[in-house]
Amino acid sequence: MSSIILTTLNAKYIHAAFGLRYLHANLPADMQPDCTILEFDINQRAIDIVEALLSQNASIIGFGVYIWNTEQTLKIIQDLKRLRPGIAIVVGGPEVSYETDQQQICALADYVIRGEADIAFGELCEKLLAGKRPLMRVIDAALPEFASEKSPALKLPYDLYTDHDLQHRVMYVEASRGCPFKCEFCLSSLDVPVRNAPLDEFLASMKQLFDRGARRFKFVDRTFNLNLKTSAAILEFFLARMMPGLFVHFEMIPDRLPEALREIIARFPAGALQFEVGIQTFDPDVEKRISRRQDHDRLNDNLRWLADETGVHVHADLIVGLPGEDLESFGRGFDRLYDLRPQEIQVGILKRLRGTPITRHDDEWEMIYSPHAPYEILQTKNVSFDQMQQMRRFSRYWDMIANSGKFSRSIGLLLDPPAGAYQRFMHLAEWLYARSGHRTHGIALHTLTDLLREYLVSHRQLNADEVDEAIKQDQTPRRASAALKRQAQHIGKP
C-alpha cells in the first residue's frame, strides 16, 4: 500500500515511463518509500487499470498524460472519481500543459501541473499529505534545472530502473532538455533554454546502467549534437564499452556533423548506432513559414557520408500536411530523401499538438485538424481530404514494405532509380489498397508478398524470374540485417 501512486499508459509495454521515474526521484526523501510507480499500456482495459490503482488505497494518484493516452486516461479518471472521490487526482505531462481550460480531463482532475513537474509534483504532495489543499487547481511549474543554487536541482532517476526494466524494456535517458530551434509544429520549440545535465554525473549513471546489464539506450534529447563536447564524450563512453547487443539511439540535427564527431561515429560497428534525423520538408518556403532552419547542402553531405562511410542506422522523418506544401512538393522532397539512402523514412501526418504555434496558419492555409487525439491534419488548402487519405495509406504501406526491411530487394526493383520513387510507390499503394479489399492493417506477410509479386510482374511488367529471385533473397535475410532491424524496432517512439 502506498500513499502516492505515479502512473501512466505507455504506448507499448517495452517503453518504460521515463517521466514517472523523474517524478519519483525528485520527491522529498521521506516520501519516496511511500510512492509506487504503476505502469500500464494503452491496450489494457480501463476497468482493470482502475482495479489495480484502487488496490493500493492511495491518497494521491498522479497521471502522466500524453497525446497517445489522453482518451483512455480520461475514462480511468472518470471511473476513479465515481468510485473514490476522495482520492486527489493530479494530471501532468505535455498533453495537459497547454489549452488546459479546454480539456475535460483537466476539469475532472483535482490538480493540473503545467510544464515540467519534476519538482512541483513533490511540493504539491507535501501539502496534500499535510492536509493543506492548495486553492489553485492549475499549477504552473517553475522550470527545473539540473544544477542550481537558487532552487532544488533535478535528481537523476536512473536508479529507479529495475533489473527487469534493464532486461526487457527500452532505457530512456537524457543528457539535456530543451531545444534552441523554433519549428512551429513541435512542442520542443517551447522548451527554452537548453539545459545540460552535469556530464560527470550523467556518465556515472550510464556506467551504472551498463554495469547492471542495460544494452539498449534511447536518448530523448531533441538536439543531441548541439553541444559537440558533450556529444563526443557520450559517444566515446559507449565506444569504450562496445560489445555485441549494445544499441544507442540519438536524435540528431542533420546539418551539424563536424569532423570531430564523424571520426568517432565511424569507429562504431554496423548496427550499434541509430540516428533519428528530422528533415520534415525540403521546401524552402515551407521551412521559412514554419520557422525551421536547416542547411540542405550540409544535410545532403552528412546523410551521404553516413550511408557511405558508417554502419549507422538512419531513421529520417518527413511530414505531410505542413502549411503551404502540396503533394507535388512533398513528392520531390521524398525522392530527394530516398536518394540519400536512409534505412527508414518515416512519413508522418502533421499533428496539431496543444500549445504549438502552428495554429497561426489555420485561416490562411485552411488547416482542418481532427478534434480527437492524435489531432492529425484532415485537409489543407493544398491537400484535399482524399489526397490526405492517400498519404495515410502511402505511409502505412511504406512502413509495411520499405521500413520493415522484409522486402529490401523486391522494393529495390520498383524504386530504383530514386528519381520518381514517390510516384511509383504511390501507384503501388493505391493498387494494394484496391487489391487487398481496402485494407491497410491485418495483411498477413505471405499475402503481402504475393500481392507485391503480382504487382511487380503483372503491372510493372518486370521479369518474373528476377522478381522471384529477389523475393527468395528477401525471405532469407542476412542474420546481421535482421538483428539490426529488430533492435531498431525496439527503439521506437514511446
Side-chain angles (χ1 to χ4, degrees), residues 196-307:
N196 296 300
L199 184 58
D200 290 344
E201 182 183 357
F202 174 77
L203 291 179
S205 294
M206 295 303 98
K207 183 178 184 303
Q208 289 178 351
L209 286 179
F210 182 87
D211 290 346
R212 291 175 58 200
R215 295 296 181 265
R216 294 174 294 172
F217 296 80
K218 179 172 181 178
F219 279 73
V220 298
D221 308 52
R222 291 304 184 187
T223 51
F224 173 75
N225 53 333
L226 180 67
N227 186 316
L228 299 180
K229 181 179 178 181
T230 298
S231 304
I234 292 172
L235 287 168
E236 290 281 13
F237 170 87
F238 285 107
L239 187 61
R241 290 160 179 79
M242 199 64 243
M243 63 182 301
L246 180 61
F247 187 78
V248 192
H249 170 110
F250 300 108
E251 187 167 339
M252 309 288 281
I253 307 168
D255 56 9
R256 184 175 172 81
L257 205 59
E259 188 59 37
L261 283 188
R262 287 189 175 195
E263 189 277 329
I264 304 171
I265 291 166
R267 289 153 53 197
F268 278 85
L273 296 180
Q274 175 168 290
F275 289 171
E276 182 176 347
V277 293
I279 310 299
Q280 319 309 2
T281 180
F282 279 104
D283 188 306
D285 292 332
V286 176
E287 288 176 327
K288 183 177 180 181
R289 188 171 298 122
I290 61 173
S291 307
R292 181 170 180 80
R293 306 193 312 270
Q294 56 188 359
D295 186 318
H296 291 176
D297 290 337
R298 289 184 178 179
L299 182 158
N300 291 346
D301 181 63
N302 289 336
L303 290 191
R304 290 197 185 281
W305 178 80
L306 288 170

Side-chain angles (χ1 to χ4, degrees), residues 129-185:
L129 293 177
K132 302 175 182 178
R133 296 181 72 91
L135 297 178
M136 296 294 293
R137 291 185 57 255
V138 179
I139 300 165
D140 290 315
L143 195 68
E145 298 284 352
F146 285 105
S148 175
E149 297 179 356
K150 299 180 181 178
S151 59
L154 276 173
K155 296 181 179 66
L156 302 186
Y158 303 107
D159 289 345
L160 293 171
Y161 282 127
T162 66
D163 291 340
H164 180 83
D165 293 333
L166 269 60
Q167 293 298 320
H168 301 285
R169 311 179 90 174
V170 176
M171 296 298 97
Y172 292 100
V173 302
E174 65 178 4
S176 65
R177 288 188 183 182
C179 181
F181 303 110
K182 299 294 182 181
C183 307
E184 296 180 4
F185 56 82

Side-chain angles (χ1 to χ4, degrees), residues 10 34 64 120 143-144 180 212 223 228 234 339 345 357 396 434 456 459:
N10 297 318
D34 203 22
L143 195 68
R212 291 175 58 200
T223 51
L228 299 180
I234 292 172
D339 187 40
I345 298 176
R396 173 60 182 161
L456 292 174
H459 290 264

Side-chain angles (χ1 to χ4, degrees), residues 59 86-89 110-111 127-128 131-136:
S59 302
I87 297 175
I89 302 296
D110 294 286
Y111 296 96
K127 295 174 183 176
L128 293 176
K132 302 175 182 178
R133 296 181 72 91
L135 297 178
M136 296 294 293

